Amino acid sequence: GDLAARIRERQDLNEQALAADRMLVGLLSQPSSFADQQMEQALRNRVTGLTKQIGDLDRSLATQFPDYAALVTKTPVPIADVQKLLGPNEALLLFTTTARFTFVWTVTRANVRWHSAPIGARQLAETIGILRCGLDEEAWADTAQTSCTEKLGLKRPPALGEQLPFDLARGYALYQALLEPVAKDIDGKELILVPSGPLATLPFEVLLTEKPASQDLAKAALSEAPWLAKQFAITVLPSVSSLKALREVAQKSKAAKPFAGFGNPLLN
């Protein structure tokens, strides 16, 4: 209804603002001999006007549709409020990555803890990229093929239909950096993860909770590896504030049987 129309309006305004901004940047990039001060001022006024419209619309959405605003807006939530939303068997972990460190906040109903992992955004992106070489055939396509082969130290890429070489050692090393320091806090709990930056592209389920028995990428018994998914049920959220929104609107499942769904599987 009205919510959908207003969201569509905001998207249109945002596109107009981006287009005007690109035009302004293009104009300012011209040599001074081509300067058009009148056009420049007109574009500046348009960008300012569109920005104000978007701001007004956001405030209107927050007032009229607070549940939607809470779901999509990353707003600070007091730790005590988060703890009240968590069940006794749940732990929420918030990851914040900087150039040099990744900070991990671990919140349970009873405790709050944070630690810093000595792995920055660039190193994290490289590590996750290597892990994804063992998960996604698209990572080996075209120019990325050489990159994955070199990163994994292989002589050749996997043949068609051959098992992708997953780097078990790196999967364990990343677990050691991010989750092992709070292993006691999360033991036996269901994990609610709020990643950011490069971690948003990592399926945490493929981290290893123990040192792999084999380091041979080609012959590793993947079914026997100590995957994080074997030990924890995992939910990923876009923000801490979305937990509050979802908990307030979610209804208890009425399903008679459990369901497992696989999105876009690769079948041969």
Side-chain angles (χ1 to χ4, degrees):
D2 190 34
L3 174 59
R6 286 174 175 267
I7 294 171
R8 178 73 256 182
E9 180 185 356
R10 193 196 187 285
Q11 291 172 339
D12 291 342
L13 288 171
N14 190 59
E15 287 296 322
Q16 292 175 42
L18 289 172
D21 191 60
R22 284 194 292 268
M23 290 176 65
L24 180 59
V25 170
L27 188 65
L28 294 174
S29 301
Q30 296 287 338
S32 56
S33 57
F34 292 94
D36 187 335
Q37 293 185 351
Q38 187 174 357
M39 176 64 76
E40 178 186 331
Q41 189 58 49
L43 285 171
R44 288 186 185 278
N45 292 341
R46 178 159 177 73
V47 171
T48 301
L50 288 168
T51 302
K52 183 179 184 304
Q53 282 183 268
I54 292 171
D56 292 342
L57 189 53
D58 283 343
R59 284 186 286 274
S60 176
L61 282 169
T63 301
Q64 288 186 264
F65 306 98
D67 289 344
Y68 172 78
L71 187 63
V72 301
T73 306
K74 293 184 178 181
T75 54
V77 181
I79 290 177
D81 290 356
V82 175
Q83 289 179 300
K84 292 176 183 176
L85 294 170
L86 294 174
N89 65 327
E90 293 179 324
L92 182 141
L93 290 90
L94 170 67
F95 302 86
T96 302
T97 304
T98 68
R100 295 177 58 194
F101 298 98
T102 295
F103 298 95
V104 185
W105 286 86
T106 304
V107 182
T108 64
R109 215 167 192 183
N111 297 304
V112 179
R113 184 191 302 273
W114 75 271
H115 72 276
S116 61
I119 178 169
R122 184 174 179 178
Q123 184 184 353
L124 203 55
E126 291 176 353
T127 299
I128 293 171
I130 293 173
L131 293 179
R132 291 190 66 88
C133 286
L135 302 172
D136 186 3
E137 285 197 350
E138 291 295 323
W140 296 84
D142 302 325
T143 56
Q145 187 179 72
T146 304
S147 179
C148 279
T149 305
E150 291 178 352
K151 287 177 180 178
L152 289 166
L154 302 176
K155 295 180 180 178
R156 63 168 182 83
L160 185 64
E162 190 177 355
Q163 174 182 295
L164 295 181
F166 185 83
D167 195 327
L168 296 169
R170 276 190 172 86
Y172 175 57
L174 200 52
Y175 167 82
Q176 284 182 297
L178 299 177
L179 298 179
E180 193 173 63
V182 292
K184 291 183 179 179
D185 299 88
I186 63 178
D187 183 40
K189 298 188 183 298
E190 297 179 8
L191 304 185
I192 301 172
L193 308 180
V194 185
S196 62
L199 284 171
T201 65
L202 171 71
F204 279 80
E205 292 85 349
V206 301
L207 299 184
L208 276 71
T209 57
E210 299 174 16
K211 186 176 181 179
S214 171
Q215 300 296 327
D216 191 331
L217 301 181
K219 298 179 181 179
L222 298 184
S223 63
E224 299 176 6
W227 304 110
L228 188 72
K230 288 185 176 182
Q231 189 171 337
F232 296 98
I234 298 172
T235 299
V236 178
L237 295 180
S239 66
V240 177
S241 55
S242 65
L243 173 67
K244 182 178 180 181
L246 291 170
R247 286 287 158 94
E248 290 177 350
V249 301
Q251 297 180 359
K252 189 175 182 180
S253 173
K254 298 178 181 178
K257 296 181 179 181
F259 170 79
F262 300 88
N264 194 25
L266 181 64
L267 305 175
N268 56 26

